[in-house]
Amino acid sequence: MSAAPDVLEVERVGAVLVLTMNRPRQRNALDRELTDALSAAFDLLDDDPSLHVGILAGRGPAFCAGTDLHEPRSPATDRGGEYGLVRRRRGTPVVAAVEGAALGGGFELVLACDLVVAGREARFGLPEVARGLVATCAGLFRSADRLPPAIAAEMLLTGDPVGAERAHEVGLVNVLAEPGQALDRAHDLAARITRNSPDAVSASLRALHDSRGPAEAAGWTATDLAIARIARSPDPAEGIDAFFEKRPPRWGR
């Protein structure tokens, strides 16, 4: 009997650490095991001075479908927060290499990265409202930081995804790649970073993160209020039941 494959593939390529989520049958949904593996890998990226850039990718047809709905809440770690990345204070840049769908927590993973490379068929979305939920892992405020506010509002209120070409046009995606080429183009982008001073890159990245600190703190407070409001509603239970039963939700009003 063969051993189960690792839920996260970790590969060093020179000064670049490539992390590939490997739950393709679950569309790389984020459970406790994958979150712990991601957190350990990002610890390595943060702590090893020979590593200058990280790349985050997904195995299979989807980048990441978000939190595994069998989990009671989005799994988190002490150092990295949700998914081992969302609240992490980093001095090493991370590039998201996106093929297929990055939805819910999967899109929030993308928003936690610094640069984005996407295949032309990639999609980004925050579908929580369709399940009676709200985005809990920074999507409520980072979407409006990385996208024009009107497009962020459209994504948050309709739950509909945005395609890679539109995301590139409005500035979310740095590099638009042909389908299947996102990881290769992410390596190209990483190479443009690694030719520079590691200390200067780290200092610049920390300054970028620090400059967003007050807005991030306010965003987390607003997110906590939104979570408290939806917790008083019957809609989350109905939305999750409808998802598993593969039927339209029957909202109470």
Side-chain angles (χ1 to χ4, degrees):
M1 183 174 180
S2 60
D6 292 336
V7 296
L8 182 70
E9 299 172 1
V10 180
E11 180 186 11
R12 287 176 179 256
V13 182
V16 178
L17 191 69
V18 183
L19 313 179
T20 305
M21 295 176 285
N22 188 32
R23 300 185 75 212
R25 294 181 63 182
Q26 295 81 22
R27 299 196 303 158
N28 296 318
L30 293 146
D31 64 355
R32 168 51 59 189
E33 184 182 12
L34 179 53
T35 291
D36 288 344
L38 282 167
S39 192
F42 284 117
D43 287 350
L44 173 63
L45 182 66
D46 287 339
D47 297 341
D48 187 335
S50 71
L51 292 169
H52 299 169
V53 181
I55 295 175
L56 179 62
R59 179 77 61 205
F63 174 79
C64 178
T67 300
D68 190 316
L69 290 180
H70 293 94
E71 294 285 340
R73 61 187 62 83
S74 298
T77 64
D78 289 341
R79 183 167 173 182
E82 292 84 354
Y83 315 135
L85 177 64
V86 168
R87 302 192 196 224
R88 182 176 292 267
R89 292 183 60 81
R90 294 183 289 100
T92 307
V94 177
V95 180
V98 182
E99 300 279 3
L103 302 177
F107 182 43
E108 288 169 313
L109 269 182
V110 171
L111 292 173
C113 296
D114 305 295
L115 300 165
V116 183
V117 178
R120 290 184 180 275
E121 296 177 358
R123 295 178 296 125
F124 305 89
L126 293 165
E128 284 84 353
V129 290
R131 299 171 191 162
L133 303 169
V134 297
T136 62
C137 301
L140 291 179
F141 54 94
R142 286 182 182 161
S143 59
D145 178 60
R146 301 283 289 276
L147 291 157
I151 294 178
E154 178 184 341
M155 295 178 72
L156 288 164
L157 302 181
T158 69
D160 295 336
V162 167
E165 295 199 11
R166 187 181 187 197
H168 182 251
E169 290 170 359
V170 300
L172 172 70
V173 172
N174 298 87
V175 178
L176 194 62
E178 294 304 314
Q181 296 298 309
L183 184 56
D184 288 342
R185 299 291 77 77
H187 276 287
D188 294 342
L189 185 55
R192 291 166 55 196
I193 298 171
T194 59
R195 70 190 180 197
N196 298 315
S197 157
D199 287 345
V201 167
S202 180
S204 298
L205 182 64
R206 290 185 186 277
L208 281 173
H209 288 183
D210 289 347
S211 69
R212 295 174 180 150
E216 290 261 318
W220 284 117
T221 298
T223 297
D224 289 342
L225 289 172
I227 293 170
R229 291 187 182 106
I230 201 64
R232 298 191 291 268
S233 169
D235 287 356
E238 169 58 18
I240 297 299
D241 287 346
F243 176 80
F244 282 118
E245 294 168 13
K246 303 186 187 308
R247 61 170 174 81
R250 297 185 287 268
W251 306 122
R253 64 171 78 100

